């Protein structure tokens, strides 16, 4: 048990360093730079953040990090960045879809397309909808 706690603390410190390094780079970016800047820096940071967010850290490590109150402002900035960059991605794909000759092909390549399908399924099941019912999503 002590070994597992030690490993969790060690991993949480490693992940904390990654979080702080990302924060240092992200806090320098303006909203405009994230939403429409020409630099590839936001994309690279988004990929790093996405890899960090989707990593399976285990409940112990997540609890350790989430219980650090001093990280709240940092998480706020990381969340701000992720939301703004997601708007950038969605806007770019929406423009491609509208301008494209095969909108469905473009839509199906969108990174969040599977997420959208899952959200629609969840709404469909949650509201008890039936074939032919219509919702706006």
């Amino acid at each position: 048990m002590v070994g597992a706690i030690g490993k969790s603390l060690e991993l949480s410190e490693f992940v904390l360093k990654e979080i702080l390094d990302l924060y240092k780079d992200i806090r320098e970016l303006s909203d405009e730079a994230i939403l429409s800047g020409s630099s590839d820096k936001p994309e690279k940071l988004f990929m790093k953040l996405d890899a960090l967010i989707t990593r399976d850290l285990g409940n112990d490590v997540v609890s350790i990090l989430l219980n650090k109150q001093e990280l709240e402002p940092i998480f706020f900035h990381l969340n701000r960045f992720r939301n703004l960059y997601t708007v950038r991605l969605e806007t770019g794909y929406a423009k491609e879809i509208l301008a494209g000759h095969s909108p469905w092909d473009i839509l199906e390549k969108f990174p969040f397309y599977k997420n959208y399908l899952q959200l629609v399924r969840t709404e469909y099941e949650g509201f008890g909808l039936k074939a032919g019912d219509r919702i706006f999503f």
Side-chain angles (χ1 to χ4, degrees), residues 75-129:
F75 289 148
F76 174 83
H77 283 284
L78 296 177
N79 190 47
R80 170 194 147 268
F81 169 78
R82 189 170 193 278
N83 288 340
L84 288 172
Y85 196 79
T86 298
V87 168
R88 178 178 177 158
L89 287 175
E90 290 178 336
T91 302
Y93 271 94
K95 288 178 181 178
E96 280 187 56
I97 289 166
L98 293 171
H101 295 288
S102 301
W104 280 108
D105 291 338
I106 296 168
L107 178 62
E108 289 173 345
K109 292 176 186 169
F110 181 55
F112 300 135
Y113 180 67
K114 290 180 181 176
N115 294 4
Y116 291 152
L117 290 179
Q118 184 57 48
L119 288 171
V120 170
R121 280 186 205 100
T122 300
E123 295 293 326
Y124 181 84
E125 292 168 4
F127 284 112
L129 299 174

Side-chain angles (χ1 to χ4, degrees), residues 19-127:
I19 291 169
L20 293 175
D21 288 346
L22 264 170
Y23 169 69
K24 287 176 190 172
D25 290 332
I26 287 171
R27 73 176 178 197
E28 298 172 2
L29 296 173
S30 68
D31 291 359
E32 183 63 28
I34 297 166
L35 286 168
S36 58
S38 59
S39 167
D40 64 346
K41 184 176 183 177
E43 180 182 8
K44 289 178 180 179
L45 292 172
F46 183 80
M47 299 303 281
K48 283 183 181 181
L49 181 59
D50 192 56
L52 182 61
I53 290 170
T54 57
R55 189 179 304 159
D56 184 13
L57 299 173
N59 292 336
D60 293 341
V61 174
V62 172
S63 290
I64 291 168
L65 293 169
L66 290 178
N67 285 323
K68 291 183 178 282
Q69 289 185 349
E70 64 272 19
L71 290 179
E72 283 185 27
I74 292 170
F75 289 148
F76 174 83
H77 283 284
L78 296 177
N79 190 47
R80 170 194 147 268
F81 169 78
R82 189 170 193 278
N83 288 340
L84 288 172
Y85 196 79
T86 298
V87 168
R88 178 178 177 158
L89 287 175
E90 290 178 336
T91 302
Y93 271 94
K95 288 178 181 178
E96 280 187 56
I97 289 166
L98 293 171
H101 295 288
S102 301
W104 280 108
D105 291 338
I106 296 168
L107 178 62
E108 289 173 345
K109 292 176 186 169
F110 181 55
F112 300 135
Y113 180 67
K114 290 180 181 176
N115 294 4
Y116 291 152
L117 290 179
Q118 184 57 48
L119 288 171
V120 170
R121 280 186 205 100
T122 300
E123 295 293 326
Y124 181 84
E125 292 168 4
F127 284 112

